[in-house]
Amino acid sequence: MPNASRLILYSAVAAMAAALALPAPQAAADEGPKISASVSEVQIVKDADPTTRAIAQDDPQAVAAAATVCGSGYALSKGIPLPVGTDPSMRLATLFAYENGGKGCAILDNNAGRSQYMYLKVCRVGGTNCDPDSGNFSEYAGPVYVSSFACAPVTAKMGQSSSSLYINYTSEYVFPCG
């Protein structure tokens, strides 16, 4: 590589490293009382559980990317390492739930490093008005949205194919019920 190209490359890498080293901005008072902190410019709801906070701290780029896919104004509500019971650092997928006012957005992040069959569905309480997304994805399934997210049931699947799953997660809710 010519010296000028190396210099440009090294300058770009140094600038990116410097940007990542900046402290994350804290939530401002006008963002509402539920927002408690931000990780790499992604807001996290105040009552997020320790697993969600650990995932956000350990992988802020994935959390930020998923939030960007949902749209502006969404705060991370829940991060679930999948398969359930997996150490968050060894997960094959992560189910992210974001909220924005009364609306919810879910993303199934592919952590396997290769294209996989993925399925994600979130519904309103009672299993009505479902928003599904499925196919072979290398990055994520979703976003899927729910207009009234309290206690919204969710299904997340991932595997070699729809008949060969290693993740088959269903929960009565991925968003808080309160």
Side-chain angles (χ1 to χ4, degrees):
M1 179 181 295
N3 285 340
S5 296
R6 281 188 185 155
L7 181 59
I8 291 170
L9 175 64
Y10 293 148
S11 296
V13 169
M16 191 167 26
L20 292 173
L22 294 174
Q26 296 302 308
D30 65 341
E31 292 173 338
K34 292 189 77 177
I35 308 300
S36 68
S38 73
V39 174
S40 192
E41 298 182 28
V42 174
Q43 301 302 318
I44 302 171
V45 297
K46 180 174 58 175
D47 56 351
D49 64 38
T51 299
T52 299
R53 291 185 179 282
I55 289 171
Q57 186 67 38
D58 293 343
D59 199 355
Q61 292 80 13
V63 173
T68 300
V69 171
C70 285
S72 64
Y74 281 88
L76 179 63
S77 174
K78 188 89 171 153
I80 302 169
L82 297 173
V84 171
T86 302
D87 180 301
S89 66
M90 303 299 289
R91 65 193 185 272
L92 298 172
T94 309
L95 177 59
F96 289 115
Y98 295 86
E99 56 185 79
N100 183 355
K103 298 178 281 185
C105 174
I107 302 283
L108 181 59
D109 189 26
N110 180 344
N111 304 123
R114 62 192 178 285
S115 183
Q116 297 289 294
Y117 169 78
M118 299 174 75
Y119 174 89
L120 179 62
K121 178 177 78 172
V122 66
C123 304
R124 290 184 70 167
V125 174
T128 63
N129 296 335
C130 299
D131 186 10
D133 188 28
S134 65
N136 289 318
F137 303 114
S138 60
E139 294 184 32
Y140 56 84
V144 294
Y145 296 95
V146 63
S147 59
S148 178
F149 69 80
C151 299
V154 65
T155 301
K157 300 178 181 185
M158 188 166 146
Q160 298 292 330
S161 68
S162 61
S163 61
S164 177
L165 300 172
Y166 50 80
I167 294 173
N168 192 357
Y169 175 81
T170 302
S171 176
E172 291 302 312
Y173 66 93
V174 70
F175 298 98
C177 287

